[in-house]
Amino acid sequence: MTEQTIPRRLVGRVAVVTGGASGIGLATARRMAAEGAKVAVVDVCEESIGEPLAEELGGMFVKTDVTDSDAVEAMFASVKAAYGSIDIAFNNAGISPPEDDSILDTDLAAWRRVQEVNLTSVYLCCKHVLPYMLEQGRGSIINTASFVAIMGAATSQISYSASKGGVLSMTRELGVQFARKGVRVNALCPGPVNTPLLKELFAADPEKAQRRLVHVPMGRFGEPEEMAAAVAFLASDDSSFMTANEFVVDGGISSAYVTPVD
Ligand code: NAD
């Protein structure tokens, strides 16, 4: 979409984007800023990376490890102090390390690390942002799950898949619990997206990449900007009757039994 055709649905809104320095998070931070939001880019990356990105967006960078409860609490407090409200939380930071593989090969340390970064972090971000949103009587939370939360893969990443299932379940429960309080909670379920996370995983195993691609009806991986457009919709009032939902953006994977040939 060109700059001219991007709607301005988020004017006056404050958005926090975790994992905002790369991939889906960065594309979403850019999209939200283009739609008029004040954006806090939250990431564990160095200031030398995060600060210029936030500056480009006219927002703020808050270096935070989202597995650290005190740090997450302090991060939301600093955004609230700087911008006066928190209207959108895109809880998106996640990892997909190669040591998380088949259950037969994945040790407990690898399992726990992925659960901490992908699932516990979403619990912490929701727990610490909800009081602000409930006080305002307004908010949209979007948690990044994955298509693997709804489908099984023979090329397993056991802890990753389980963590994303947890994100989806937690999202449903929170969405239902707070539906009458003005706070909506939805999960984004991306298919495979062309980001550093996916590239790192597939660089280690090109055969795995090929096996995944074969199952995408569109015959390509998604782009971060395509996820960003979906998140901006979920963040905006255009999705005002959607909550506790899974929003699947996967090039058709989850509906395909066989995929078309050219
Ligand atoms: P990415 O690696 O490009 O970006 C992830 C960002 O999260 C990085 O900037 C990283 O520094 C940050 N991060 C990692 N650990 C952190 C921590 N403890 N605290 C704060 N920040 C941390 O990845 P991406 O592909 O953009 O993935 C974003 C989300 O989308 C993840 O939750 C991922 O599981 C999910 N997802 C990705 C795909 C895909 O194919 N790329 C598919 C489905 C779901």
Side-chain angles (χ1 to χ4, degrees), residues 156-207:
S156 181
Q157 301 167 267
I158 190 62
S159 187
Y160 183 92
S161 296
S163 73
K164 294 302 186 180
V167 169
L168 189 50
S169 285
M170 181 161 43
T171 300
R172 281 196 198 105
E173 186 148 315
L174 294 176
V176 172
Q177 184 180 357
F178 297 109
R180 296 186 186 193
K181 307 277 183 204
V183 179
R184 299 184 296 108
V185 191
N186 291 292
L188 176 76
C189 293
V193 182
N194 208 1
T195 69
L197 177 140
L198 190 79
K199 285 178 193 152
E200 188 187 321
L201 182 71
F202 289 159
D205 193 342
E207 194 218 315

Side-chain angles (χ1 to χ4, degrees), residues 27-246:
T28 302
R30 287 188 169 132
R31 173 68 187 242
M32 286 180 172
E35 291 219 20
K38 270 278 171 212
V39 179
V41 174
V42 173
D43 207 290
V44 77
C45 70
E46 291 308 319
E47 270 98 357
S48 58
I49 297 172
E51 300 274 9
L53 292 174
E55 204 168 303
E56 167 201 323
L57 306 177
M60 64 192 283
F61 174 65
V62 192
K63 182 178 163 82
T64 311
D65 179 345
V66 290
T67 67
D68 178 339
S69 183
D70 292 343
V72 170
E73 193 171 10
M75 175 273 288
F76 283 119
S78 71
V79 176
K80 168 81 176 173
Y83 294 145
S85 71
I86 305 171
D87 307 294
I88 299 158
F90 182 35
N91 302 322
N92 163 76
I95 56 171
S96 178
E99 56 272 21
D100 176 27
D101 204 284
S102 159
I103 194 168
L104 301 174
D105 306 317
T106 302
D107 66 22
L108 191 55
W111 165 273
R112 283 190 171 141
R113 178 76 191 136
V114 172
Q115 293 297 315
E116 280 285 299
V117 179
N118 290 10
L119 179 57
T120 306
S121 72
V122 176
Y123 152 77
L124 291 175
C125 288
C126 290
K127 184 178 175 61
H128 291 308
V129 81
L130 272 162
Y132 297 109
M133 293 183 168
L134 291 172
E135 195 190 359
Q136 294 165 188
R138 180 176 89 174
S140 176
I141 297 176
I142 303 105
N143 297 322
T144 303
S146 168
F147 72 108
V148 303
I150 52 176
M151 302 181 74
T155 53
S156 181
Q157 301 167 267
I158 190 62
S159 187
Y160 183 92
S161 296
S163 73
K164 294 302 186 180
V167 169
L168 189 50
S169 285
M170 181 161 43
T171 300
R172 281 196 198 105
E173 186 148 315
L174 294 176
V176 172
Q177 184 180 357
F178 297 109
R180 296 186 186 193
K181 307 277 183 204
V183 179
R184 299 184 296 108
V185 191
N186 291 292
L188 176 76
C189 293
V193 182
N194 208 1
T195 69
L197 177 140
L198 190 79
K199 285 178 193 152
E200 188 187 321
L201 182 71
F202 289 159
D205 193 342
E207 194 218 315
K208 229 180 209 178
Q210 215 35 54
R211 282 183 73 186
R212 292 267 171 103
L213 203 49
V214 140
H215 296 286
V216 189
M218 285 194 177
R220 64 173 178 87
F221 294 138
E223 293 301 325
E225 292 72 22
E226 293 175 304
M227 300 304 127
V231 180
F233 166 72
L234 292 172
S236 79
D237 293 344
D238 278 353
S239 58
S240 53
F241 199 51
M242 281 184 67
T243 197
N245 211 335
E246 61 193 56

